[in-house]
Amino acid sequence: MNDAIPTTSRRVTGISLGLVVVFTVTALFIARLLGPSDLIDYGQEWPTSYVLDAVKNGHWIVQTDIRGEITSKPPLYTWLAATAAMVAGEVNRLTLTLPAFLATGALALILLGFGAKQFGWRAGFLAAMVYLLSPVVAKQVALVRTDAIVATGRSDYPNQVNNVLGFPYIFRGALAVRAST
């Protein structure tokens, strides 16, 4: 019976910290959506045009931009945003940024869980919060870009805080499960 108390306490701690992380990423997302639109900055016009091509023209396999050039990125982001747009009935800023929001939140929860498992709840929570509150990720949470999906961060910033925090855990997780190519 004594063993059940620490397990329950750890579960409650994990759920509580997970909810704080979810609340934080949601607050960042809402704050970014309520701010001025920046869809023509940071290279977002291309992913936006790919989503429009998939939704309006039915080009789900190979999307093209306004100039007729084929997408240079994997289509997962386009598929997720286009699916959200079809469910919502229109392409809008929310449906375009939803995949980045979900991916950013998922990576923060992965950092929390894996960090907690390896180093304790405080370390996992700290890793998740530092990741979420880094300037790059605070901006990335509501950008129409594939960066959040592939968890590599944006290459136009010299200090890749999210890469430094995320990659070692992802790499360590791959090693832990003995992943192979």
Side-chain angles (χ1 to χ4, degrees):
M1 187 70 168
N2 289 338
D3 293 335
I5 294 170
T7 302
T8 303
S9 176
R10 280 193 301 262
R11 185 170 292 132
V12 169
T13 300
I15 291 171
S16 300
L17 293 178
L19 289 174
V20 170
V21 168
V22 168
F23 173 77
T24 302
V25 73
T26 303
L28 284 171
F29 183 65
I30 291 170
R32 292 277 298 137
L33 286 183
L34 293 177
S37 177
D38 57 359
L39 284 176
I40 58 170
D41 293 330
Y42 309 111
Q44 297 179 95
E45 61 275 10
W46 291 292
T48 300
S49 67
Y50 303 146
V51 172
L52 285 169
D53 189 37
V55 172
K56 301 292 184 190
N57 300 327
H59 298 157
W60 285 83
I61 304 300
V62 178
Q63 300 86 35
T64 58
D65 63 16
I66 193 86
R67 296 177 303 235
E69 294 181 20
I70 295 175
T71 180
S72 62
K73 303 286 185 186
L76 179 60
Y77 193 96
T78 301
W79 293 341
L80 293 172
T83 301
M86 293 185 76
V87 169
E90 67 178 347
V91 176
N92 57 37
R93 191 166 174 211
L94 175 65
T95 61
L96 288 170
T97 57
L98 189 62
F101 163 67
L102 295 174
T104 301
L107 185 55
L109 290 173
I110 289 169
L111 284 169
L112 172 67
F114 189 77
K117 183 177 179 182
Q118 294 297 316
F119 306 108
W121 284 112
R122 287 182 185 166
F125 182 68
L126 179 64
M129 294 308 289
V130 168
Y131 168 73
L132 285 175
L133 299 176
S134 69
V136 174
V137 174
K139 183 174 283 266
Q140 162 184 302
V141 71
L143 287 179
V144 184
R145 291 179 53 101
T146 60
D147 305 330
I149 296 287
V150 296
T152 60
R154 297 180 41 215
S155 61
D156 56 346
Y157 283 97
N159 61 341
Q160 290 292 295
V161 176
N162 56 336
N163 283 341
V164 171
L165 290 173
F167 182 74
Y169 289 107
I170 294 167
F171 186 69
R172 175 69 172 97
L175 289 174
V177 298
R178 298 180 184 176
S180 62
T181 57

